[in-house]
Each structure stands twice: as structure tokens, then as C-alpha cells.
Amino acid sequence: MKELKKLKFQIDAVKEMLEKAEEVVEKAQAGRNAPALFLSAPTGSGKTLMAARFMEKILEDNTDARFLWLTDQPALNEQTKKKLVTNTTAFSPDEDNIVVIDKHFDQEVLKSGIVYFLNTQKLGSSMTLVTEDEDRDYLFWQTVANTIRDYPGSFWLVLDEAHRGMPT
């Protein structure tokens, strides 16, 4: 990761998540239900940067890792992409390892070493990602299911709800 000012609580949070990630991977590879990992911290504490560091460390140990970053706000995905590019060495649009899923996305599995960005609006029942047509080989849900089946312990879903429930 690029050198950033890292606070002790951020370093500790990433370390704790990495320790818990070992259990998640073991259970997933054994075909058992894996527990979820949660990162909860106040606004402005660097959650995105902690998540980015976590993903970098996961990739260091498992080059087969695949990430899906899901939000309900396209603007939040753009903000997160910028933070990843600015604050990591693992993810760069120039290296094609940051992908925004659009209506044309059609893959059998999510590829390793890539963070895919998706917002929930693209998953509505009338959206092309989840509706069959002659131009699509794989519905998005099939892609996710295939990835989980073929790469247990290597698929990471980041459900970014950082701005949920916050009064405006």
C-alpha cells in the first residue's frame, strides 16, 4: 500500500479482520457456511482505506482473490474507486483490475485480482444484468454463483453501507 498516515486503530482493525478472514476461508473451502466480516467505524475514520488495505493483504496471500464492491449509490462507487487508485498499489484502472459492472457485463466467473464495482440499481428485475436475452451467456447471479462454486475462499463481497441510516 502507498505510504499513508496510518492510525493504530486502523492497523488493529485490519489485523483483526485478516485474522478472522483465515476462519472464513477455511470454512468456505470446506464447503461450510462462512461467517461474515464486519468493519464498523465512525464517519471519517478511514473505513474505505482500511478495506483497501485488507483487500491488498488478501491479494498478497491469495492471488486468486476476487472482490465485488456493492453499494446502493453509483457516486459512492466512484468515490471509492478514486480512493483505491490514490491509496493502493494493488488496484489501478490502467492495469484493468478495477471494473465497473455495466449492462454489457457477461462473464462466467469474476476474474482474480480484480475489484468489481456494482450498485444495487443495476440488479432490478427489469435490468439486463439479471434478465435473459440472446446476447447474454450468463446472468449476473450465475456469474456470482459460478465464482463461489469454482473459487471457494477466494470470493469477497464488500457490502458498503457506510451512508445508510445516516440522517441528513
Side-chain angles (χ1 to χ4, degrees):
M1 183 169 226
K2 294 178 181 172
E3 282 306 310
L4 301 173
K5 180 179 176 187
K6 297 177 194 116
L7 302 174
K8 183 172 179 350
F9 80 90
Q10 294 171 328
I11 294 166
D12 291 346
V14 171
K15 182 179 177 186
E16 183 179 340
M17 285 180 34
L18 289 166
E19 289 168 0
K20 290 180 180 179
E22 291 177 20
E23 176 188 351
V24 169
V25 170
E26 286 174 18
K27 287 187 176 187
Q29 289 174 337
R32 301 190 332 252
N33 287 335
L37 294 175
F38 292 94
L39 173 60
S40 179
T43 300
S45 62
K47 287 183 293 291
T48 302
L49 298 180
M50 288 184 270
R53 181 65 180 151
F54 172 80
M55 291 189 308
E56 279 191 314
K57 295 298 275 180
I58 291 293
L59 270 175
E60 286 175 16
D61 294 336
N62 178 0
T63 57
D64 228 12
R66 300 127 205 281
F67 303 96
L68 175 60
W69 193 291
L70 180 65
T71 71
D72 67 350
Q73 299 176 29
L76 187 54
N77 281 348
E78 285 301 315
Q79 175 184 331
T80 301
K81 277 178 29 190
K82 287 178 185 173
K83 285 183 180 181
L84 286 180
V85 169
T86 304
N87 297 295
T88 70
T89 55
F91 301 106
S92 166
D94 296 336
E95 296 180 24
D96 295 327
N97 57 9
I98 294 178
V99 173
V100 176
I101 294 176
D102 63 15
K103 65 183 181 179
H104 304 292
F105 184 83
D106 187 17
Q107 291 180 195
E108 182 177 7
V109 297
L110 299 176
K111 296 177 183 175
S112 63
I114 296 176
V115 59
Y116 293 88
F117 284 93
L118 179 64
N119 62 69
T120 55
Q121 291 86 346
K122 294 178 182 174
L123 298 173
S125 60
S126 63
M127 302 306 285
T128 58
L129 280 176
V130 296
T131 55
E132 291 186 19
D133 68 30
E134 59 193 45
D135 295 328
R136 179 173 305 287
D137 292 323
Y138 301 96
L139 299 178
F140 181 72
W141 299 122
Q142 291 171 311
T143 301
V144 170
N146 292 343
T147 303
I148 293 168
R149 179 197 66 218
D150 293 351
Y151 302 97
S154 294
F155 173 67
W156 297 92
L157 171 64
V158 179
L159 181 57
D160 187 346
E161 293 186 324
H163 300 139
R164 277 298 208 194
M166 300 296 290
T168 56

